[in-house]
Amino acid sequence: MLVRVRFAPSPTGFVHIGGLRTALYNYLFARKNDGKYILRIEDTDRERYVEGAIEGMLKSMAWTGIEHDEGVVLDGERLSQKGDFGPYIQSQRLDIYQKHIKTLLESGDAYYCFCSKERLDKIREEQKAEGLTTGYDGHCRDISKEEVQKRLEAGEQYVIRLKFPKGKDIRFNDIIRGEVVMNTDDLDDQVLIKSDGFPTYHFAVVVDDHLMKITHIIRGEEWLSSTPKHVYLYKAFGWEIPQYVHLPNILNRDHKKLSKRHGDVAVEDFLNKGYLPEGLVNYIALVGWSPEDNQEIFSMEELEKQFSLERVSKSGGVFDVDKLNWVNGHYIRESSVERITDLAIPYLVEAGYITEIDAKEKYEWLKDLVSVLQERISYIAEIKDKAAIFFRTEIELKDDESKELIRAEHLPQLLDVFKAKIEETETINEDFGKRVFKEIQKETGIKGPNLFKPIRVVLTGESHGPDLPLVMKVLGRQKILNRIEYIKRLLDD
Ligand code: GLU
């Protein structure tokens, strides 16, 4: 059996981090089993239609590197589709749903319902008042064929509902959760075709998964309670039921479902902050899945080899930004300076530190700047803050330790010698940085922390930070002299 799985987002406008994980696990499962991974767009809810949403989501997915074998793809800015089981956009499959609903109407597994919205609202209110669970009361279940025909001819509005038998258990197996049972008495006669002629998600998903030969349905646990309806539909059609896998929710630190209210949840948010795709993907793989050993850094190839559904946990995985930052920081450090520089430029422009022209003209200098900070950022946007020390005209003494350090008794002497050394030299390269401290130590006897710490404060305003010779190289002669002058004035006041 050829494994075929799918990620089936609705075009809401962004890919939620939970959706990313669903996509990733589907993709990994397909790769591991030499199967196919499909991306289908579920856009049957016309009220939630968002212009440009599909394109945006596909762009996010392309950025993550989770590539699908079949489905909707972007061809430049245009939507296109690949694969033999299309169309892969549900709104382009309406005739297919119409054909299949006929089968269910004929077998008596579905029926026309003419109830008006007013009537449905009214029974709902009554049920509420009586403290009953709300739901459809089956009013149209037994309308005769002739009457249905008459009402259709009269042009009455209708929906088509699934006709659940009374008191029947529906069972299915979930690879993560084991057997799940639900009784039809706890289920509403689900609408399959809406009054606008569009299918509901529940109907379209079953028809499409069957026709697209999906073998494993791997999706978020919010769909678990819908699955009995789907299983019933498979049975009504006489189709083989796929394997189900419901992934645990992604939770925030308070163990609540991760939502927009708790900060970033869209793949785009992370892209905009300058996370690296391999960092986000690596981290998200670990939210809900654990490898056999304690390995934490995984390339996509390693994930493809090691991933298994057996090691997906039943309980929710907690989304831990600190851990994400740690993983992403690892990939930033591993990247070439050129890659990080290219990614950093837009943030430096946005911060007003450089112009687009500087970005070209001072590229080599920018690379030096980035190499100083590359070790110290978890995502690229952080460079705006961290780079500030190189662009400010005046430094700002950040902490008490810094303020104390520049009041040290030996500071005036140290500053004079340091200033003289800088004035004597033409260019400040890393070698100069290394040499100058040795010379100062020799000449003045000032050494170790007494030497480096105050100089660091003079140059950056901070008592801790990147390698000093590098900092000096990036600052350059004039800025160093300005900063010495600034501190001198400060001490004189
Ligand atoms: N369209 C559904 C969603 O947006 C997909 C549910 C499923 O995978 O069956 O989450």
Side-chain angles (χ1 to χ4, degrees):
M1 178 187 65
L2 176 69
V3 164
R4 290 177 58 83
V5 293
R6 84 315 189 259
F7 172 48
S10 300
T12 50
F14 66 96
V15 180
H16 188 280
I17 210 77
L20 170 66
R21 191 193 53 179
T22 300
L24 176 64
Y25 286 9
N26 273 286
Y27 167 87
L28 294 175
F29 185 71
R31 287 292 90 93
K32 172 107 188 232
N33 294 287
D34 286 326
K36 295 275 183 243
Y37 163 59
I38 290 125
L39 190 145
R40 181 176 69 224
I41 296 293
E42 303 205 323
D43 61 343
T44 57
D45 190 348
R46 303 317 277 173
E47 280 163 26
R48 288 173 60 197
Y49 180 78
V50 182
E51 184 73 37
I54 303 178
E55 289 84 346
M57 293 172 87
L58 291 177
K59 268 187 204 150
S60 292
M61 290 313 297
W63 174 78
T64 65
I66 303 171
E67 220 180 293
H68 47 286
D69 304 301
E70 286 174 32
V72 188
V73 288
L74 267 184
D75 182 4
E77 295 288 311
R78 265 191 48 247
L79 286 185
S80 142
Q81 305 192 30
K82 60 172 180 185
D84 298 333
F85 295 82
Y88 294 91
I89 298 179
Q90 288 187 327
S91 60
Q92 298 174 4
R93 299 172 61 82
L94 298 183
D95 51 335
I96 301 176
Y97 308 125
Q98 285 303 331
K99 185 179 137 223
H100 282 85
I101 199 65
K102 282 211 181 80
T103 313
L104 294 186
L105 285 165
E106 277 158 22
S107 66
D109 287 303
Y111 63 93
Y112 288 94
C113 168
F114 298 96
C115 291
S116 63
K117 186 177 175 302
E118 291 68 36
R119 176 171 188 278
L120 295 176
D121 287 346
K122 194 168 148 256
I123 58 168
R124 195 184 187 79
E125 285 312 312
E126 286 167 8
Q127 285 163 337
K128 263 198 199 150
E130 287 175 48
L132 300 169
T133 31
T134 56
Y136 184 57
D137 62 355
H139 186 71
C140 295
R141 273 171 76 102
D142 299 310
I143 302 179
S144 70
K145 271 205 172 119
E146 294 70 36
E147 190 184 334
V148 166
Q149 200 49 41
K150 241 196 270 156
R151 293 174 79 167
L152 290 178
E153 276 161 23
E156 259 190 66
Q157 281 252 353
Y158 66 85
V159 299
I160 300 175
R161 288 182 187 270
L162 178 60
K163 192 173 195 174
F164 276 125
K166 296 280 174 220
K168 202 169 175 279
D169 276 343
I170 303 174
R171 290 167 196 278
F172 65 93
N173 186 62
D174 182 287
I175 291 183
I176 297 176
R177 286 148 215 273
E179 188 178 51
V180 180
V181 188
M182 202 184 271
N183 194 279
T184 51
D185 288 350
D186 298 322
L187 293 168
D188 240 5
D189 279 353
Q190 176 64 48
V191 173
L192 301 178
I193 299 286
K194 296 179 276 191
S195 56
D196 61 3
F198 272 70
T200 53
Y201 154 71
H202 302 284
F203 188 54
V205 80
V206 169
V207 171
D208 290 349
D209 284 338
H210 172 72
L211 295 179
M212 295 180 186
K213 294 198 174 5
I214 302 300
T215 56
H216 295 74
I217 294 185
I218 306 171
R219 61 183 172 199
E221 77 178 324
E222 66 270 28
W223 301 105
L224 185 65
S225 61
S226 301
T227 307
K229 300 179 194 175
H230 304 172
V231 168
Y232 188 83
L233 278 167
Y234 279 96
K235 288 193 174 150
F237 279 116
W239 292 340
E240 194 181 333
I241 295 163
Q243 300 279 323
Y244 283 102
V245 182
H246 288 92
L247 304 173
N249 277 330
I250 297 187
L251 308 173
N252 65 19
R253 285 200 191 134
D254 304 328
H255 289 251
K256 302 254 166 55
K257 205 175 159 186
L258 192 69
S259 83
K260 245 192 158 39
R261 262 171 296 132
H262 305 113
D264 297 328
V265 291
V267 169
E268 257 180 294
D269 297 334
F270 294 95
L271 191 165
N272 291 339
K273 281 198 168 162
Y275 282 84
L276 301 182
E278 64 269 40
L280 185 62
V281 165
N282 181 157
Y283 174 66
I284 216 69
L286 300 171
V287 182
W289 170 77
S290 49
E292 277 168 41
D293 51 22
N294 290 330
Q295 186 176 343
E296 288 180 308
I297 298 297
F298 287 90
S299 66
M300 194 68 113
E301 292 73 36
E302 287 173 302
L303 286 172
E304 288 172 21
K305 283 203 194 92
Q306 295 194 34
F307 180 76
S308 73
L309 290 173
E310 285 69 39
R311 298 195 66 85
V312 172
S313 81
K314 272 197 194 59
S315 53
V318 174
F319 187 81
D320 177 352
V321 177
D322 294 335
K323 182 84 181 281
L324 165 66
N325 286 346
W326 177 80
V327 172
N328 201 64
H330 164 86
Y331 287 102
I332 289 186
R333 290 191 293 280
E334 297 270 290
S335 297
S336 70
V337 183
E338 286 78 12
R339 180 186 185 197
I340 304 304
T341 305
D342 293 342
L343 290 172
I345 284 170
Y347 296 93
L348 298 174
V349 171
E350 186 188 291
Y353 297 150
I354 58 169
T355 62
E356 304 273 0
I357 298 165
D358 293 337
K360 290 203 184 73
E361 288 176 355
K362 299 185 184 167
Y363 190 74
E364 286 305 312
W365 177 78
L366 285 169
K367 261 167 58 181
D368 288 339
L369 167 77
V370 166
S371 68
V372 175
L373 300 172
Q374 192 166 352
E375 295 273 324
R376 316 178 77 81
I377 53 173
S378 307
Y379 51 92
I380 313 282
E382 278 189 318
I383 205 149
K384 290 201 278 189
D385 244 22
K386 303 265 190 217
I389 52 169
F390 296 103
F391 294 100
R392 275 197 294 259
T393 25
E394 290 186 348
I395 59 145
E396 188 190 325
L397 297 176
K398 284 266 172 163
D399 45 50
D400 290 345
E401 194 187 355
S402 308
K403 287 176 198 149
E404 212 170 289
L405 278 165
I406 62 151
R407 303 270 161 203
E409 218 178 299
H410 68 282
L411 202 80
Q413 184 203 0
L414 179 57
L415 282 184
D416 286 339
V417 183
F418 186 50
K419 186 179 167 199
K421 296 274 173 207
I422 302 291
E423 277 171 341
E424 274 166 23
T425 187
E426 286 278 309
T427 46
I428 314 263
N429 52 25
E430 258 184 279
D431 266 359
F432 170 80
K434 285 185 188 132
R435 190 161 34 88
V436 77
F437 291 114
K438 279 193 199 127
E439 289 175 11
I440 297 177
Q441 181 180 334
K442 230 186 196 164
E443 287 167 32
T444 63
I446 304 168
K447 59 179 180 188
N450 283 338
L451 172 58
F452 297 115
K453 281 204 161 186
I455 295 286
R456 181 184 292 288
V457 174
V458 171
L459 296 182
T460 70
E462 292 166 28
S463 49
H464 300 274
D467 184 54
L468 261 187
L470 267 176
V471 169
M472 286 169 56
K473 181 180 172 197
V474 174
L475 279 175
R477 192 169 178 275
Q478 197 48 52
K479 268 215 168 91
I480 296 177
L481 289 174
N482 292 349
R483 287 178 189 201
I484 297 171
E485 275 316 306
Y486 175 74
I487 294 290
K488 275 172 159 277
R489 261 183 282 128
L490 204 73
L491 292 178
D492 289 346
D493 289 344

